[in-house]
Amino acid sequence: MTQFELDILAKKGRSEAENGMFPSELLEQVKDRRKRKWLFDSIFSAQYREITTQMSETEKLRRGKLLSVEMAFEHYMKSVRIFRFNAALLVAIGIIMITLELVRPMNGLAFGMITLIESTVVIAVSLNQVYIRKYGLLLFNALVASSIIEIAFFQFPLPVLYGSDLEVTSRLEGFWQIFNGLSPFLYIAAKFGILISMAFSSDRVRKFIQRKQDYERTGE
């Protein structure tokens, strides 16, 4: 984004700020964190954020909340990136499970297809930050429900290797036995890790929305 474009956004942002709004939609357009910081400082000058004893309690509260919503916004932007990373991770897991099924038939096809469906939904939501704000928590709940149904109906994936496949050199035999025994749980651990990540991200999105609304209410 060029400096000219940033100047235009800064002008629009100052107009929104004067009307008591937090210009999150404008800030979201700037992906580079340093440029986004410059834009924020251009919209909310240091003088505007300064708290003095001459101010009313309402104005002091409002300026204090500005710092809170700024921090929440940066956490929200990180959550957007985490949503998209998790979508890519789900795609990778789904492809791996289906590939393993093609190479060595087990019961990985169902797990792979379910994961790819989940990844499609996450991608559809994460491509639009408005959707993340609206449906982030709903998406997390849907993934939890999907995981519960997945385990209830299909339980765990089978080990990657068959018994005959474990007859390798004696030095590697122990390693492959451990890997084979843990392989079903690696899938579950990866999905569980994604759910935890989505939980934290959804909570950060919720907090940003809450603090943004709280900040804007003080300007009414």
Side-chain angles (χ1 to χ4, degrees):
M1 181 169 287
T2 65
Q3 187 60 45
F4 177 72
E5 292 172 321
L6 287 173
D7 290 336
I8 293 176
L9 291 178
K11 184 177 180 180
K12 292 180 179 178
R14 283 191 290 268
S15 177
E16 291 187 19
E18 289 172 359
N19 292 324
M21 306 296 291
F22 183 83
S24 56
E25 288 77 11
L26 295 178
L27 292 167
E28 286 175 9
Q29 297 179 36
V30 183
K31 306 306 179 184
D32 185 87
R33 186 173 182 178
R34 288 177 297 179
K35 291 183 178 180
R36 190 165 61 243
K37 177 63 176 174
W38 179 91
L39 178 60
F40 182 88
D41 291 339
S42 298
I43 295 172
F44 300 100
S45 64
Q47 183 179 2
Y48 183 84
R49 287 176 281 170
E50 187 180 35
I51 299 177
T52 63
T53 56
Q54 289 78 22
M55 294 178 181
S56 65
E57 291 300 320
T58 301
E59 185 60 22
K60 288 180 182 179
L61 178 63
R62 177 172 173 77
R63 296 196 178 194
K65 287 182 177 181
L66 178 59
L67 176 60
S68 176
V69 74
E70 178 189 9
M71 295 175 62
F73 175 78
E74 286 302 322
H75 289 157
Y76 157 72
M77 292 299 290
K78 289 180 182 178
S79 296
V80 171
R81 294 193 294 270
I82 291 173
F83 266 86
R84 292 169 181 171
F85 174 78
N86 284 334
L89 195 57
L90 285 170
V91 171
I93 293 172
I95 291 175
I96 289 172
M97 295 301 294
I98 292 176
T99 302
L100 289 174
E101 177 70 18
L102 295 175
V103 174
R104 184 72 69 189
M106 44 179 187
N107 64 339
L109 182 61
F111 294 98
M113 293 302 298
I114 290 173
T115 304
L116 286 180
I117 292 172
E118 291 172 344
S119 68
T120 302
V121 177
V122 176
I123 290 172
V125 173
S126 63
L127 286 178
N128 191 320
Q129 292 174 196
V130 175
Y131 292 162
I132 292 178
R133 292 197 298 270
K134 287 185 176 180
Y135 308 119
L137 184 59
L138 179 63
L139 176 62
F140 166 71
N141 292 331
L143 288 177
V144 171
S146 174
S147 298
I148 293 174
I149 294 172
E150 180 182 27
I151 294 175
F153 279 89
F154 302 102
Q155 298 182 349
F156 298 103
L158 293 175
V160 175
L161 305 174
Y162 292 139
S164 59
D165 296 323
L166 297 176
E167 296 176 2
V168 292
T169 63
S170 58
R171 178 178 295 181
L172 295 177
E173 184 176 357
F175 168 78
W176 284 116
Q177 286 178 343
I178 294 173
F179 172 79
N180 194 55
L182 292 177
S183 59
F185 301 100
L186 293 177
Y187 170 83
I188 300 299
K191 295 290 288 287
F192 185 68
I194 290 174
L195 286 177
I196 292 177
S197 174
M198 295 285 283
F200 279 107
S201 298
S202 299
D203 186 60
R204 285 181 168 182
V205 172
R206 180 190 61 80
K207 286 181 178 178
F208 165 65
I209 295 173
Q210 185 181 55
R211 292 179 185 180
K212 179 177 183 290
Q213 292 173 343
D214 192 29
Y215 168 78
E216 292 175 346
R217 278 196 297 267
T218 60
E220 295 177 353

